[in-house]
């Protein structure tokens, strides 16, 4: 079977129609170039060049073979490029998990940056609660997970990506929605309150329980739910107040007022990126570095 070096030599001679210039292009001397062409012709069983006279011309067989030779060389170059890009993480597939609330805060920035800076990486997006994401991360179904802390277990690496504050959600006609009021978390004592589910939204449940415990209040929990948009729907219906992450502002739900709340320290809502520490997927490494870099620049 012919070799790639023989094909390169053939294409160089075919395009220059001059052995000397072709040898210069290939950074070699003319005798070994002629030898390559002779071996290629012997392998194919045809004459590729007409060497009669002082000029070099392609034979009919040479003309027919030139297009195929160029395509073969092009495919080998593309294959080599693909391998290098794969190893560099520039192409590949990453299964990315995220929580519903992350979809309202950082997901668009992350996905947009990946498409812009790593266009050869395909994303498989999966919306899951944090617990399900961590299970799928360990099983290999997910490569990167956007989850709420903590991240238990060994073999999982993670880092903080984003923090945000809590806002008070009230019906539009509630006294705490009035612009001349400055709501304080103590105003929630004994109030009907739509709470996060301790089973399906345990992270938010524990964050809010910690907030209430620190100021020694006890709201009256009327419903337990897991999704922010559902909680806001019940607030709009007048069934109670709620505390939601600041990202809920993007939902812009009519009939619901979101207000800053005094008495809540800092930005208690945290999101982390988690991945298997031994994952050798180059595309994951590139996406992970991009995402953590966005966090370092506070671009999320």
């Amino acid at each position: 079977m012919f070799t790639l070096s023989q094909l390169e030599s053939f294409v160089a001679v075919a395009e220059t129609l001059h052995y000397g210039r072709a040898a210069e292009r290939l950074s070699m001397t003319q005798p070994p170039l002629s030898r390559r062409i002779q071996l290629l012709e012997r392998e194919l069983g045809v004459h590729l060049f007409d060497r009669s006279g002082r000029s070099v011309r392609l034979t009919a067989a040479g003309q027919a073979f030139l297009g195929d030779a160029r395509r073969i060389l092009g495919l080998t170059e593309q294959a080599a490029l693909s391998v290098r890009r794969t190893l560099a993480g520039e192409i590949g597939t990453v299964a990315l998990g995220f929580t519903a609330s992350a979809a309202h805060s950082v997901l668009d920035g992350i996905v947009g940056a990946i498409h812009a800076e790593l266009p050869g990486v395909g994303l498989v997006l999966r919306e899951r609660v944090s617990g399900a994401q961590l299970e799928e991360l360990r099983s290999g179904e997910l490569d990167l997970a956007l989850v709420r802390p903590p991240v238990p277990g060994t073999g999982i690496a993670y880092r903080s990506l984003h923090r945000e504050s809590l806002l008070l959600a009230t019906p539009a006609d509630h006294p705490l929605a009035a612009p001349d009021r400055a709501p304080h978390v103590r105003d929630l004592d004994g109030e009907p309150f739509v709470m996060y589910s301790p089973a399906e939204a345990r992270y938010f449940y524990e964050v809010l329980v910690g907030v209430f415990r620190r100021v020694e209040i006890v709201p009256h929990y009327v419903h337990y739910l897991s999704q922010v948009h559902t909680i806001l729907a019940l607030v709009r219906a007048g069934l109670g107040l709620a505390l939601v992450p600041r990202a809920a502002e993007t939902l812009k739900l009519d009939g619901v007022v979101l207000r800053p709340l005094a008495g809540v320290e800092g930005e208690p809502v945290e999101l982390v990126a988690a991945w298997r520490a031994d994952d050798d997927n180059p595309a994951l490494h590139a996406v992970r570095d991009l995402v953590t870099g966005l966090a370092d620049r506070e671009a999320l």
Side-chain angles (χ1 to χ4, degrees):
M1 181 57 67
F2 51 77
T3 66
L4 292 178
S5 62
Q6 290 170 352
L7 287 184
E8 290 172 342
S9 298
F10 165 68
V11 171
V13 175
E15 291 179 347
T16 61
L17 295 178
H18 193 284
Y19 275 79
R21 287 194 292 273
E24 289 179 6
R25 178 196 288 189
L26 298 172
S27 300
M28 60 189 302
T29 59
Q30 188 169 328
L33 173 61
S34 298
R35 179 63 176 165
R36 285 183 184 178
I37 298 299
Q38 290 169 2
L39 290 173
L40 178 60
E41 289 179 323
R42 185 180 304 170
E43 181 68 35
L44 295 174
V46 298
H47 289 293
L48 299 171
F49 296 102
D50 182 355
R51 301 174 183 82
S52 61
R54 302 182 61 177
S55 62
V56 177
R57 293 184 300 129
L58 281 166
T59 63
Q63 289 279 8
F65 188 59
L66 180 57
D68 289 334
R70 285 171 170 157
R71 280 191 289 274
I72 292 170
L73 291 175
L75 286 173
T76 60
E77 292 173 0
Q78 183 61 46
L81 177 61
S82 294
V83 168
R84 290 193 293 271
R85 292 183 66 198
T86 297
L87 291 176
E90 295 176 2
I91 60 176
T93 302
V94 171
L96 174 64
F98 60 95
T99 63
S101 56
H104 303 311
S105 55
V106 302
L107 185 66
D108 57 343
I110 288 174
V111 171
I114 292 170
H115 283 317
E117 300 187 34
L118 297 170
V121 173
L123 288 179
V124 178
L125 299 175
R126 294 175 180 160
E127 181 181 332
R128 303 283 193 273
V129 297
S130 293
Q133 283 192 68
L134 291 171
E135 290 178 6
E136 293 187 4
L137 192 63
R138 294 188 184 93
S139 70
E141 296 175 73
L142 284 179
D143 298 304
L144 185 65
L146 306 182
V147 296
R148 303 297 180 183
V151 180
T154 59
I156 301 296
Y158 64 93
R159 64 150 294 177
S160 180
L161 285 185
H162 178 73
R163 299 194 74 100
E164 59 187 305
S165 59
L166 288 167
L167 297 177
L168 173 64
T170 76
D173 58 356
H174 194 279
L176 291 177
D180 59 344
R181 289 287 301 271
H184 192 282
V185 67
R186 291 194 180 90
D187 293 329
L188 304 181
D189 194 23
E191 286 283 326
F193 193 86
V194 184
M195 186 54 161
Y196 293 91
S197 165
E200 298 176 350
R202 186 168 185 81
Y203 172 77
F204 280 106
Y205 175 84
E206 292 184 348
V207 167
L208 266 59
V209 167
V211 167
F212 299 149
R213 186 179 294 124
R214 280 190 290 272
V215 294
E216 299 180 340
I217 66 168
V218 182
H220 172 51
Y221 303 145
V222 293
H223 290 283
Y224 293 89
L225 298 168
S226 62
Q227 301 298 332
V228 171
H229 60 274
T230 310
I231 289 173
L232 291 178
L234 293 194
V235 170
R236 181 173 60 180
L239 299 184
L241 306 175
L243 291 181
V244 295
R246 179 171 289 277
E249 289 180 319
T250 63
L251 295 175
K252 301 185 187 307
L253 198 64
D254 291 339
V256 175
V257 174
L258 300 179
R259 304 203 60 195
L261 187 67
V264 179
E265 298 178 2
E267 297 176 315
V269 179
E270 184 180 11
L271 184 73
V272 303
W275 60 91
R276 290 184 304 282
D278 62 353
D279 196 318
D280 59 0
N281 179 357
L284 165 66
H285 296 174
V287 168
R288 177 199 63 202
D289 292 346
L290 174 58
V291 171
T292 54
L294 291 173
D296 289 338
R297 300 194 303 270
E298 297 183 352
L300 292 177

